């Protein structure tokens, strides 16, 4: 079964807009679990514009499902992950000024770095995933770096989906099949929504985990958080 990991960055963005602690990110994470989410994802950035390092520490102590920490592996991020020891770390090639993630790792060019950082995380028993574009070559070099999973960057799929779902999903199926051939686990995330998630899962039912934040939180404004999580999980059956 494909697991749903809810990215709660947007909850922290709302909190930070006014200061204080409303909404409380730990309480929302616990509610997500209570409503059926099988994991919680956070993406702390150096400028702390949404999830803060302190939030990550509190979440690790509070939640009962898998914690996935994603982000650019700068020194402070690496230290945080090694301290907190989440179930999974997802390596994302974000520049500090990026509004959001917009491409996967060049796993061939960054082979040496990825191999080294993966080994460090493995020493602490942390599952390592790397964010990649839907390119079998990038999947090949991710496997050579020793990672456990790849996470396919699905924004191109989401953008193309309204104009032709079969063409949109084709490169992702190809990359996903290559990951399976290499024995890698497979995650997916970025711009997945109630509009496009079911079709992706129908074509790729072997995906281990989807990480969804922005669209899910937006839907929750109208449907409520519990019903929204239920509808996303129904897309993964």
């Amino acid at each position: 079964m494909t697991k749903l990991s809810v990215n709660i960055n947007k909850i922290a963005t709302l909190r930070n807009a006014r200061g204080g602690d409303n909404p409380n990110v730990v309480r929302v994470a616990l509610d997500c679990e209570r409503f059926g989410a099988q994991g919680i994802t956070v993406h702390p950035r150096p400028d702390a514009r949404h999830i803060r390092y302190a939030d990550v520490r509190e979440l690790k102590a509070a939640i009962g499902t898998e914690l996935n920490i994603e982000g650019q592996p700068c020194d402070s991020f690496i230290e945080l992950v090694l301290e907190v020891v989440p179930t999974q770390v997802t390596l994302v090639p974000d520049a500090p000024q990026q509004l959001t993630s917009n491409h996967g790792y060049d796993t061939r060019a960054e082979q040496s770095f990825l191999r080294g950082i993966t080994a460090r995380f493995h020493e602490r028993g942390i599952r390592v995933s790397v964010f990649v574009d839907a390119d079998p070559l990038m999947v090949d070099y991710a496997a050579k770096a020793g990672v456990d999973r790849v996470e396919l960057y699905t924004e191109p799929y989401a953008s193309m989906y309204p104009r032709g779902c079969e063409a949109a999903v084709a490169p992702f199926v190809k990359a996903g099949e290559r990951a399976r051939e290499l024995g890698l686990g497979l995650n997916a995330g970025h711009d997945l929504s109630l509009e496009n998630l079911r079709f992706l899962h129908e074509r790729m039912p072997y995906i281990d985990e989807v990480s969804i934040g922005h669209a899910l939180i937006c839907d929750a404004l109208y449907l409520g958080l519990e019903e929204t999580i239920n509808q996303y999980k129904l897309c993964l059956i």
Side-chain angles (χ1 to χ4, degrees):
M1 180 179 177
T2 301
K3 293 182 178 180
L4 172 65
S5 185
V6 176
N7 186 319
I8 60 170
N9 275 19
K10 287 299 184 294
I11 302 300
T13 301
L14 181 60
R15 175 200 62 188
N16 295 351
R18 284 290 296 269
D21 196 33
N22 186 27
N24 180 277
V25 295
V26 173
R27 179 178 176 180
V28 172
L30 293 173
D31 284 339
C32 288
E33 290 183 322
R34 184 162 57 91
F35 298 149
Q38 295 129 321
I40 299 296
T41 291
V42 290
H43 189 143
R45 287 182 165 89
D47 62 7
R49 65 180 182 263
H50 35 63
I51 286 291
R52 302 164 179 158
Y53 283 15
D55 296 325
V56 178
R57 296 182 179 99
E58 292 178 9
L59 286 162
K60 178 57 166 61
I63 69 172
T65 57
E66 293 191 352
L67 177 62
N68 171 43
I69 306 177
E70 61 180 27
Q72 165 66 32
C74 61
D75 290 344
S76 60
F77 178 89
I78 293 168
E79 291 172 5
L80 176 70
V81 172
L82 292 174
E83 172 196 344
V84 171
V85 190
T87 306
Q88 177 175 269
V89 60
T90 301
L91 308 178
V92 182
D94 273 350
Q97 70 274 15
Q98 278 182 229
L99 181 63
T100 187
S101 307
N102 60 16
H103 64 284
Y105 253 108
D106 184 336
T107 54
R108 178 168 57 178
E110 299 288 344
Q111 180 69 196
S112 178
F113 172 75
L114 291 172
R115 187 182 298 115
I117 193 61
T118 295
R120 290 186 67 186
F121 290 140
H122 278 168
E123 288 175 359
R124 299 300 303 275
I126 302 167
R127 185 172 72 228
V128 180
S129 179
V130 62
F131 203 55
V132 297
D133 296 322
D135 180 347
L137 183 64
M138 294 298 102
V139 176
D140 285 346
Y141 279 93
K144 291 177 182 179
V147 302
D148 304 289
R149 295 184 181 183
V150 292
E151 178 173 335
L152 297 180
Y153 168 56
T154 49
E155 190 279 334
Y157 162 75
S159 293
M160 190 174 178
Y161 178 85
R163 303 191 301 274
C165 53
E166 292 291 353
V169 82
F172 292 85
V173 171
K174 187 175 181 180
E177 292 290 354
R178 183 57 179 156
R180 296 181 78 198
E181 290 170 4
L182 294 169
L184 292 174
L186 185 66
N187 298 340
H190 208 91
D191 285 355
L192 295 176
S193 68
L194 289 175
E195 177 186 7
N196 58 47
L197 179 60
R198 185 183 300 276
F199 182 77
L200 179 73
H201 187 254
E202 288 173 352
R203 294 297 185 270
M204 304 175 69
Y206 45 81
I207 293 173
D208 292 295
E209 173 187 290
V210 292
S211 174
I212 305 176
H214 184 80
L216 189 151
I217 299 303
C218 290
D219 289 333
L221 294 174
Y222 295 92
L223 302 174
L225 186 58
E226 182 174 9
E227 177 61 20
T228 298
I229 288 174
N230 181 58
Q231 290 199 22
Y232 274 87
K233 289 185 70 178
L234 286 174
C235 293
L236 300 173
I237 294 176

